[in-house]
Amino acid sequence: MPEGDTVYRAARLLDRALSGRELTRTDFRVPQHATVDLTGGTVETTVSRGKHLLTRITDVEGAAWTLHTHLKMEGAWRVHRDGERWKRPAHQARVVLGVEGAHAVGFSLGIVELLATADEGSVVGHLGPDLLGPDWSEDVALSRLRAEPDRPLGEALLDQRNLAGIGNMYMAELCFVAGLHPRTPVGDVDALPRLVRRGRQMLELNKERAVQSTTGNLRERERMWVYRRDRSPCRRCGTPVAVAMTGPAGRERAAYWCPRCQPEPA
C-alpha cells in the first residue's frame, strides 16, 4: 500500500493539473456514481490526508463536493494531455476528470466516493495527525501511541488513528534505524519522540522525489535498510534480514528486521 509521501505527490499532481479549472468532462466508472455529471463545475483543490485523497469541486449550482479516493494496493492517478495514450488499460480506469487540454485518470482506485465537502470528517475524521499535513502534532501522535503501552511498536506505527502516513516500508525502516524489533511494546521504547521525528523526516525528504530512499543512496537495491531485503545481509552486521507476518488476524502485514541489530523482545 502506498506510503504517505506517495499520496502527497499524487495530491500535488492533481492540484497542479486541475485546481482553479472548469471541468469539461467527468466520468465516474463505479456503480454508485455512474450517473453523476459534474461537467461545468470547478475544481477547487486536491489535498492528501494520510493515505486519503480529497478533491474538492464546486458544481454549477454552487454546491461543494469532495471526491474521496484511496489508492489501496494498486491504485494510481495519472494526468494525460488530450490525445495522449494512457499508460494503463482503460478497463482499469475508475474516474476521469477532464479540463481543457488534459484529463486526470484514476486507475484501480480502492475507494471512490463522492460526498458533500461538509461531510469529509466521516471518511478522514478518525485519522491521527498527518506527518505531512498542516494538522501535524507530535504531542498528539505521542499521546495516542502511548495510550496502548503493551501494543507492538510495528502495529502501533501502522495504525492510522495514531499518526497518518506510515505504511509497511517506513515502519520497517524506522524500527531498524531505532534498533527495535517490530514486536517491541510501545511502553518499552524510551526514545519514542526521536523515532516519531525520524519518521516525519523520512517522509519529508521523500515527498519531493519519486524514488524513495531511507539510506540516502538512490541506487537500485541500495535504497532501503531492511524493507523487502529478506535473506539479504544486513547492511550493518551482515546477518540475513528476517521477515514474518505480524498484526491482528485478517490485517497481517509483512515485517522486516535484522535479528542481530533488532533482537526480539523476551
Side-chain angles (χ1 to χ4, degrees), residues 107-220:
F107 294 99
S108 302
L109 300 173
I111 294 176
V112 177
E113 293 181 304
L114 193 64
L115 63 153
T117 298
D119 296 332
E120 282 182 1
S122 66
V123 292
V124 295
H126 65 289
L127 298 176
D130 187 341
L131 285 153
L132 294 178
D135 69 316
W136 171 247
S137 169
E138 181 180 308
D139 290 341
V140 171
L142 289 172
S143 176
R144 294 190 179 192
L145 288 167
R146 288 168 172 156
E148 297 180 279
D150 296 329
R151 192 174 190 186
L153 177 62
E155 285 184 32
L157 290 173
L158 289 173
D159 190 336
Q160 303 299 294
R161 296 171 299 178
N162 292 330
L163 66 173
I166 290 179
N168 262 29
M169 183 191 81
Y170 284 121
M171 181 272 284
E173 297 295 283
L174 277 170
C175 287
F176 177 81
V177 297
L180 296 167
H181 193 283
R183 294 195 184 99
T184 302
V186 172
D188 291 349
V189 181
D190 295 329
L192 194 59
R194 184 168 61 184
L195 183 144
V196 169
R197 288 183 205 123
R198 179 65 64 86
R200 187 165 187 242
Q201 181 184 45
M202 285 182 177
L203 268 74
E204 284 283 353
L205 289 172
N206 282 314
K207 75 178 185 181
E208 301 298 337
R209 57 192 182 201
V211 176
Q212 295 164 309
S213 173
T214 59
T215 64
N217 192 329
L218 297 180
R219 289 182 296 173
E220 189 73 25

Side-chain angles (χ1 to χ4, degrees), residues 35-170:
T35 61
V36 173
D37 184 4
L38 294 177
T39 300
T42 301
V43 179
E44 304 298 339
T45 189
T46 297
V47 298
S48 61
R49 183 76 174 82
K51 299 184 180 185
H52 301 253
L53 287 161
L54 304 172
T55 299
R56 296 167 183 150
I57 301 167
T58 301
D59 68 19
V60 292
E61 297 179 351
W65 298 95
T66 292
L67 172 62
H68 168 226
T69 58
H70 196 297
L71 304 181
K72 293 291 186 180
M73 292 299 293
E74 300 178 353
W77 277 97
R78 298 287 184 264
V79 175
H80 300 274
R81 296 186 302 274
D82 286 349
E84 181 183 8
R85 183 171 180 166
W86 291 1
K87 294 180 175 61
R88 291 177 63 165
H91 71 82
Q92 293 182 5
R94 296 293 176 265
V95 180
V96 181
L97 301 176
V99 294
E100 185 178 356
H103 49 279
V105 186
F107 294 99
S108 302
L109 300 173
I111 294 176
V112 177
E113 293 181 304
L114 193 64
L115 63 153
T117 298
D119 296 332
E120 282 182 1
S122 66
V123 292
V124 295
H126 65 289
L127 298 176
D130 187 341
L131 285 153
L132 294 178
D135 69 316
W136 171 247
S137 169
E138 181 180 308
D139 290 341
V140 171
L142 289 172
S143 176
R144 294 190 179 192
L145 288 167
R146 288 168 172 156
E148 297 180 279
D150 296 329
R151 192 174 190 186
L153 177 62
E155 285 184 32
L157 290 173
L158 289 173
D159 190 336
Q160 303 299 294
R161 296 171 299 178
N162 292 330
L163 66 173
I166 290 179
N168 262 29
M169 183 191 81
Y170 284 121

